[in-house]
Amino acid sequence: MIRPFAPADLEPAIALWKRACGLTHAFLPQDFMDTVEKQLRAGGMNEASTVVFDDGGVRGFLTMTGNAINDFFVDPDHQGRGIGTKLLDHAKAGSPELHLSVFTRNTRAILFYDARGFLVVKRRHYPAARNEILLMKWERPQP
Ligand SMILES: CC(C)(COP(=O)(O)OP(=O)(O)OC[C@H]1O[C@@H](n2cnc3c(N)ncnc32)[C@H](O)[C@@H]1OP(=O)(O)O)[C@@H](O)C(=O)NCCC(=O)NCCS
């Protein structure tokens, strides 16, 4: 089930984030990862901004600011089973348009978003991460 984040989810979610990043974001510098972890711990994940997918444990989470998706991760042991699509559909249901940034080196995630209606808006350098990102946008189709 998808439910709002609760404070007790913080450590499981951080552990999940580290496992997932170890596989897909190993190209990112450690100082950048440390900064992101500090931000997540300092309120980046909270009851208002974050939903988790819970099936007896936290298997994934998605954080948002307004209509921007900030952090979106599924436990590597549970990827490829539809959890990410459910979390993304939940975000789509709550907003007529969504924005996100994804590292250009994260090819699988780009394909995931592309297959779910996101279009590339622009490409730019992200100095703190010393990498390129794509800005992507989804708009709810008109009926
Ligand atoms: C991208 C991610 C959130 C998708 O969640 P998921 O639960 O694996 O996704 P689903 O099972 O709903 O869908 C599987 C789809 O995701 C794609 N995918 C992307 N990254 C994947 C991964 N590491 N493992 C498995 N599938 C992945 C598959 O190719 C598949 O695409 P398709 O259905 O269009 O053929 C998840 O794989 C993940 O956490 N990846 C690592 C972190 C990341 O890149 N987050 C996005 C940062 S912008």
Side-chain angles (χ1 to χ4, degrees):
M1 68 182 244
I2 294 175
R3 61 164 176 78
F5 174 89
D9 297 325
L10 182 65
E11 292 307 330
I14 295 273
L16 178 166
W17 171 78
K18 285 186 176 172
R19 285 196 299 278
C21 285
L23 295 176
T24 56
H25 291 73
F27 54 86
L28 289 173
Q30 190 58 45
D31 62 330
F32 178 75
M33 297 302 293
D34 292 345
T35 302
V36 176
E37 181 175 348
K38 273 188 201 139
Q39 287 166 350
L40 290 173
R41 289 186 180 282
M45 280 192 275
N46 63 58
E47 292 84 337
S49 68
T50 308
V51 289
V52 302
F53 188 94
D54 181 342
D55 67 357
V58 176
R59 309 300 181 211
F61 67 89
L62 185 149
T63 76
M64 293 189 68
T65 306
N67 58 16
I69 295 175
N70 300 325
D71 306 285
F72 178 29
F73 289 87
V74 172
D75 189 323
D77 291 341
H78 296 265
Q79 288 176 7
R81 300 182 193 172
I83 294 173
T85 301
K86 287 191 179 102
L87 283 166
L88 192 61
D89 284 348
H90 180 85
K92 284 177 170 178
S95 186
E97 64 176 63
L98 294 171
H99 299 260
L100 59 82
S101 65
V102 55
F103 290 104
T104 53
R105 292 164 80 167
N106 193 0
T107 315
R108 289 190 76 176
I110 294 168
L111 293 173
F112 172 86
Y113 293 128
D114 177 70
R116 285 154 185 80
F118 282 76
L119 299 175
V120 175
V121 177
K122 68 171 84 148
R123 178 189 180 114
R124 72 171 177 83
H125 187 60
Y126 188 172
R130 306 197 280 284
N131 266 275
E132 297 279 321
I133 54 170
L134 295 183
L135 305 183
M136 300 186 81
K137 178 181 181 181
W138 168 85
E139 283 180 313
R140 187 177 294 151
Q142 296 299 317

